[in-house]
Amino acid sequence: MGFFRSNIEAMDGYTPGEQPQHGKFIKLNTNENPYPPSREVTRAIQAVLEQGLGRYPDSMATAFRLRAADILQVSPDCILCGNGSDDLLTIITRALVGEGERLRLPYPSYVLYKTLANIQGAETEEIGFQSDWTLPPQFADASPGLKLAFLPNPNSPTGTLVSPTQVAAMAERMPCPLVADEAYVDFAEQSCLGLVARHDNVIVLRTMSKSYSLAGLRFGYLVAQPSLIAQFLKVKDSYNCDALSIAGATAAINDQTWLAETTVKIKATRTRLTRELAALGFDVIDSQANFVWAEHSRRSPRELYEELKASRVLVRYMKYARWREGLRISIGTDQQIDALLTLLKTMV
Ligand SMILES: *Cc1c(COP(=O)(O)O)cnc(C)c1O
């Protein structure tokens, strides 16, 4: 067509997981939380609706930052909120990575990062995990034009975790900011949050979409030193979080009892799913997230995906050209996982 910047015309857009609009599916494909969110969320949103939506929202989402700062034991000045953590990933990439520069990622990992680099006209450097799911030392090496590194931790699609000790050692050597994308951290044993105070290049990214069951609300936040946040503020939309999402997210993070109860249930179901898939002949990677990566020695994952879909169970089929293909299965309720296992027993 020729109207657009050449990198936009050349790139593939990001394809989100299927969100069927018709029919009843058991949805285990986009790592949503199967349980309803804290009841306080609807109450808080209702209260905002009663006041009306005529005024612009607080551009800094102060109510959320104050609550979150207290819970996370950080200063509110270290928190920046976004319209989902994808919005913050966009802000970070736009602020740090220019045309022809480089963004480093582990491989395999979250596919959106590459799209963000492509939009900037930047290159990606993908560094493969080692067999024990740690990263090789070159993940932290300087290289010409390197401006930013993303590390989903726990990683998607593998569910594996790089220890905060290793992340700290890498951050120490890296010539650029390192984003620990902790979308799944509430299902994990360790977090990198404590590194922010000691490393001015560490950014911890969190979302309310997965562990708080608010993927439809669109709210995420990052924790970093105020000097970084001051630069990100220049790039973000003034009103990137709306009044309803600020109220809902604040109520959600305030209900830590709900979070603790729900994550305990999901982790118990994860343990059971991992065990039962193994009994059916699947290779399953031990997960610290709300999904598992599974491959079967005899059955093609694409066919299993298709057969499950025909029976109204959606899982994510993924193929990484330089790694493997397999199924990424989100942790549903026990009932949903039972339905999945019953079907799989007839297929493998
Ligand atoms: C789901 C996910 C996100 C996006 O979360 P939103 O807050 O819904 O935009 C970011 N990073 C990773 C690794 C994810 O899996």
Side-chain angles (χ1 to χ4, degrees):
M1 212 176 348
F3 290 150
F4 293 86
R5 292 163 59 214
S6 54
N7 56 303
I8 302 296
E9 291 200 357
M11 68 182 271
D12 294 321
Y14 177 70
T15 313
E18 294 166 86
Q19 299 289 355
Q21 302 300 317
H22 303 288
K24 245 180 111 56
F25 278 89
I26 293 181
K27 242 187 123 281
L28 305 173
N29 67 331
T30 50
N31 303 339
E32 290 142 329
N33 194 313
Y35 298 104
S38 162
R39 271 205 283 270
E40 299 303 321
V41 172
T42 3
R43 207 169 299 172
I45 290 175
Q46 196 63 47
V48 175
L49 284 173
E50 276 156 27
Q51 287 161 28
L53 292 170
R55 303 250 181 232
Y56 281 104
D58 171 9
S59 73
M60 289 301 290
T62 310
F64 179 89
R65 285 165 55 239
L66 292 174
R67 256 344 265 130
D70 198 32
I71 290 160
L72 305 171
Q73 294 291 295
V74 300
S75 158
D77 299 337
C78 295
I79 301 178
L80 179 69
C81 300
N83 179 28
S85 56
D86 286 352
D87 177 37
L88 293 163
L89 287 167
T90 302
I91 292 168
I92 294 167
T93 312
R94 286 175 66 197
L96 287 160
V97 189
E99 205 166 330
E101 295 181 330
R102 288 168 165 262
L103 190 157
R104 185 170 290 162
L105 316 168
Y107 187 83
S109 86
Y110 189 36
V111 182
L112 177 73
Y113 301 143
K114 205 165 177 160
T115 310
L116 296 174
N118 289 337
I119 293 169
Q120 296 304 103
E123 305 293 320
T124 52
E125 284 178 8
E126 296 178 303
I127 312 276
F129 282 100
Q130 304 182 112
S131 55
D132 63 355
W133 299 109
T134 60
L135 284 163
Q138 64 262 37
F139 194 83
D141 287 351
S143 80
L146 179 68
K147 294 294 170 177
L148 176 64
F150 283 134
L151 174 65
N153 206 33
N155 187 43
S156 174
T158 57
T160 52
L161 188 85
V162 176
S163 75
T165 313
Q166 197 194 7
V167 175
M170 293 194 303
E172 201 61 51
R173 289 208 293 120
M174 280 182 106
C176 64
L178 168 61
V179 177
D181 181 349
E182 296 197 331
Y184 301 104
V185 79
D186 292 320
F187 308 105
E189 278 154 25
Q190 288 176 294
S191 150
C192 291
L193 190 63
L195 306 186
V196 171
R198 280 173 286 124
H199 301 270
D200 63 6
N201 61 338
V202 171
I203 300 169
V204 169
L205 186 63
R206 299 267 179 98
T207 175
M208 304 305 283
S209 296
K210 302 342 192 312
S211 55
Y212 288 91
S213 197
L214 291 173
L217 191 70
R218 312 306 305 135
F219 200 93
Y221 62 96
L222 64 77
V223 183
Q225 292 197 7
S227 56
L228 296 183
I229 291 185
Q231 303 299 321
F232 294 142
L233 280 176
K234 300 177 190 171
V235 175
K236 90 169 184 76
D237 288 348
S238 306
Y239 303 109
N240 61 332
C241 300
D242 66 81
L244 300 177
S245 77
I246 296 169
T250 307
I253 202 163
N254 192 47
D255 196 346
Q256 290 293 302
T257 310
W258 179 95
L259 179 71
E261 287 170 3
T262 311
T263 49
V264 162
K265 276 193 281 190
I266 290 172
K267 287 191 282 185
T269 309
R270 178 180 74 196
T271 305
R272 186 168 73 87
L273 175 63
T274 304
R275 185 171 11 95
E276 302 210 13
L277 285 173
L280 291 175
F282 283 89
D283 266 326
V284 189
I285 304 176
D286 265 329
S287 170
Q288 301 228 8
N290 68 336
F291 56 83
V292 297
W293 177 268
E295 293 165 56
H296 200 272
S297 51
R298 282 175 286 106
R299 290 298 320 269
S300 126
R302 181 184 271 288
E303 286 173 17
L304 288 175
Y305 156 78
E306 295 289 356
E307 289 168 34
L308 287 170
K309 188 173 175 182
S311 300
R312 307 244 134 203
V313 174
L314 268 188
V315 299
R316 189 82 170 254
Y317 163 74
M318 295 177 121
K319 181 177 178 146
Y320 286 84
R322 283 171 290 115
W323 185 56
R324 307 203 289 243
E325 56 175 343
L327 298 179
R328 195 192 67 187
I329 305 172
S330 308
I331 309 300
T333 61
D334 280 310
Q335 226 178 3
Q336 292 174 324
I337 294 301
D338 286 339
L340 167 79
L341 288 166
T342 304
L343 284 170
L344 286 176
K345 272 173 203 157
T346 68
M347 295 176 186
V348 300

